Amino acid sequence: MKKVLVLEDESSIRSFIVINLRRAGYEVIEAETGEEALEKLQQHTDVRVALLDIMLPGIDGFEVCRRIRATNTKIGIIMLTARSQEMDKVTGLMTGADDYVTKPFSPAELTARVDALMRRSGGAAEEAAEELRQDPFLLNTRNRTLEKNGQRIKLTQMEYSIMRMFMENPGKALSREEILDLVWGRDYFGELKIVDVNIRRLRLKIEDNPTNPTYITTVWGYGYKWGF
């Protein structure tokens, strides 16, 4: 059974999410507080996607996201944000979330976002052991790992997918729309901004100088290019 954690302190919203995810075939673990969510994740180590509300009593959704990412790069994380909280969307992504859903959202939108992350976090078997090497980087597609100059770089599943896409298309300018389709899937409902923020986060991990990137370069008004 595909397992999802839902952290939401408002019971009516949580019930709405839980009912729709169960209808979509997911097993749902519920939590009202950040502390409870972290405990539940320790108990249910097979949770593959977590939905985290931001505004919570006690520790907030950002801190929960940080603590999850400190020990787990595999799980998919979606932040639940209010329509007016534009900075919260960016902050959530920069603390390690893969996506965000803006309240109010439709059941179809929610399940599509969870489905997309579930595919990424499933660790589907690769067709063969393969390495993509473009010095100083080595990407192992069997283990889904990245090394730079022999040193392992911890990537989330989404960051790994972006990195693989770039290394499979060296020197090719990719539009934001293409990146969204290739990484998140054609049925994804989200905004192009999610591409920019995830690439900003990836640059912090792989670039020698993230403010002057040399590996992932910006093609102004279009998208990005793997700079080899």
Side-chain angles (χ1 to χ4, degrees):
M1 177 71 78
K2 300 174 293 184
K3 198 175 285 189
V4 178
L5 173 86
V6 175
L7 168 58
E8 168 61 67
D9 64 324
E10 290 188 41
S11 58
S12 59
I13 298 176
R14 191 171 68 251
S15 297
F16 168 78
I17 294 170
V18 169
I19 287 167
N20 283 287
L21 287 176
R22 284 179 176 155
R23 281 179 183 158
Y26 291 107
E27 179 181 344
V28 184
I29 309 299
E30 299 180 54
E32 278 189 79
T33 67
E35 291 84 351
E36 184 185 3
L38 293 169
E39 288 176 15
K40 292 277 181 77
L41 284 172
Q42 287 187 329
Q43 296 164 12
H44 299 272
T45 56
D46 55 344
V47 167
R48 284 166 52 187
V49 173
L51 278 70
L52 309 178
D53 188 32
I54 292 173
M55 302 298 289
L56 296 164
I59 62 173
D60 65 12
F62 296 140
E63 182 59 24
V64 174
C65 182
R66 285 189 198 96
R67 293 190 190 184
I68 292 172
R69 279 290 178 245
T71 58
N72 188 335
T73 58
K74 303 297 185 187
I75 191 171
I77 298 176
I78 300 174
M79 306 300 290
L80 304 177
T81 72
R83 189 177 298 280
S84 61
Q85 296 168 320
E86 197 63 29
M87 272 310 297
D88 284 352
K89 298 171 183 177
V90 175
T91 303
L93 292 168
M94 290 306 290
T95 54
D98 299 294
D99 198 1
Y100 58 81
V101 178
T102 304
K103 301 175 187 176
F105 44 79
S106 69
E109 178 185 9
L110 181 70
T111 53
R113 299 290 185 91
V114 174
D115 288 345
L117 269 190
M118 192 64 72
R119 287 194 298 271
R120 289 291 167 207
S121 64
E126 299 291 342
E127 58 283 355
E130 184 186 351
E131 292 182 343
L132 292 173
R133 182 185 292 277
Q134 286 161 20
D135 290 334
F137 297 101
L138 175 64
L139 193 78
N140 185 308
T141 60
R142 169 67 63 85
N143 299 328
R144 300 171 75 87
T145 57
L146 176 71
E147 293 181 1
K148 179 183 179 182
N149 294 318
Q151 297 295 311
R152 178 75 57 87
I153 296 174
K154 288 174 65 174
L155 299 180
T156 67
Q157 293 298 307
M158 204 57 75
E159 290 163 353
Y160 164 83
S161 297
I162 294 170
M163 193 71 187
R164 178 169 180 173
M165 173 204 66
F166 277 130
M167 291 184 71
E168 288 178 339
N169 293 278
K172 180 182 178 184
L174 296 163
S175 71
R176 289 172 174 82
E177 291 85 358
E178 282 180 279
I179 294 169
L180 203 64
D181 284 349
L182 288 167
V183 176
W184 280 267
R186 291 188 178 275
D187 56 352
Y188 180 72
F189 282 79
E191 305 168 36
L192 291 176
K193 182 195 311 165
I194 195 169
V195 173
D196 299 322
V197 182
N198 271 276
I199 286 177
R200 190 191 316 170
R201 199 174 70 197
L202 181 58
R203 280 171 166 167
L204 290 171
K205 295 185 176 184
I206 70 164
E207 295 283 355
D208 299 321
N209 179 4
T211 59
N212 185 25
T214 56
Y215 303 117
I216 302 174
T217 54
T218 300
V219 181
W220 294 107
Y222 185 72
Y224 299 92
K225 183 175 74 168
W226 184 243
F228 282 83

